[in-house]
Amino acid sequence: MDWLHAVCLGLLQGLTEFLPISSSAHLILVPVLSDWPDQGLAFDVAVHVGTLLAVLTYFRGTLVRLSADALASIRRRHFQGDGKLAMLLVIATIPIVAAGLLLGDSAEAYLREPLVIAAANIGFGILLWVAHRGWRGRRDESTAGLGDALWIGLAQILAIIPGTSRSGITMTAGLFLGLAPTAAARFSFLLAIPTIALAGGWKAMQLALSPAPAAWDMLLLGAAISAIAAYACIGAFLALLERIGMTPFVAYRLVLGAVLLWVFV
């Protein structure tokens, strides 16, 4: 891997992780549609660490408040401030953890095909459009309840299918539940923190057991680019979401799916 390869993949991961267009699909397609080799597990871990650092940094104030209120809620045995939201984020993480333990890497391994990615982009893209156009909720994420957290958590399991988009499917579920677009996005981004941390930790453990050497300079470069791009992307997306809506991302997904069908069918 050279520096251009690392920069392009880091930028791609950072820009697509939190947009509803599937980062995993783009990373899978790069070696399929170009002369670049597969970037490998080590690089995947590095760029996911970058996006994790970005979301931790962006929501640092919110995370401090969630942690303090969660501890206060435990001590007083009654929800304090955002203690309920913190609990709901934990509950929403449970389904993907259970699915990961049951399925391991087998589901993604069998589904890493361009036609699967095409179908997921089109199908879940249309579902996102229906949710955004038909369910104009105005609820804030602080109004979410146990049922909301479970449904969003269950929806996140579908992100195991490449092309679905973890952020896309959780935002779709939030919109169907009546959350405002920005509220659905914030809940999705906060939910990404434990999800990416756990998935990255699992991949890092696999990497530690692998005898393959690591190109640390390229890994650090990819992680840094991914972190910078993801941080900028989160801010821009939240600032522009009410103005531009989900339609541009749905259109992109449909075009990408159509191109993949045209190339590989």
Side-chain angles (χ1 to χ4, degrees), residues 98-117:
L101 291 174
L102 288 173
L103 299 175
D105 296 327
S106 59
E108 186 176 347
Y110 285 115
L111 297 173
R112 291 171 66 94
E113 297 293 334
L115 293 182
V116 172
I117 294 172

Side-chain angles (χ1 to χ4, degrees), residues 116-263:
V116 172
I117 294 172
N121 264 288
I122 293 172
F124 290 114
I126 293 173
L127 192 65
L128 174 61
W129 183 80
V130 171
H132 184 66
R133 298 285 294 182
W135 274 258
R136 286 287 184 176
R138 288 297 160 195
R139 294 171 56 204
D140 188 80
E141 68 270 22
S142 62
T143 68
L146 177 60
D148 299 321
L150 285 174
W151 276 114
I152 294 173
L154 289 170
Q156 188 173 224
I157 295 176
L158 294 171
I160 292 175
I161 305 171
T164 300
S165 171
R166 191 212 61 81
S167 59
I169 196 63
T170 51
M171 288 182 208
T172 299
L175 291 170
F176 274 123
L177 292 168
L179 293 179
T182 52
R186 284 193 299 268
F187 193 95
S188 173
F189 293 162
L190 290 171
L191 183 58
I193 294 172
T195 302
I196 296 175
L198 291 169
W202 171 249
K203 288 185 177 181
M205 185 175 67
Q206 292 177 307
L207 181 61
L209 298 175
S210 172
W216 290 105
D217 53 347
M218 295 298 104
L219 298 183
L220 291 173
L221 177 60
I225 296 295
S226 175
I228 294 169
Y231 186 90
C233 188
I234 292 171
F237 182 73
L238 289 174
L240 295 173
L241 182 55
E242 288 292 351
R243 189 185 311 168
I244 65 174
M246 295 292 186
T247 302
F249 306 104
V250 172
Y252 176 83
R253 293 180 65 122
L254 295 179
V255 170
L256 177 60
V259 169
L260 291 175
L261 290 175
W262 179 71
V263 171

Side-chain angles (χ1 to χ4, degrees), residues 59-74 80-90 141-142 186-187 189-191 193-194:
F59 288 105
R60 59 192 181 278
T62 301
L63 293 172
V64 170
R65 186 174 67 251
L66 285 170
S67 300
D69 289 347
L71 291 173
S73 299
I74 292 172
Q80 304 292 315
D82 285 329
K84 178 184 176 183
L85 179 58
M87 180 200 71
L88 293 178
L89 290 168
V90 172
E141 68 270 22
S142 62
R186 284 193 299 268
F187 193 95
F189 293 162
L190 290 171
L191 183 58
I193 294 172

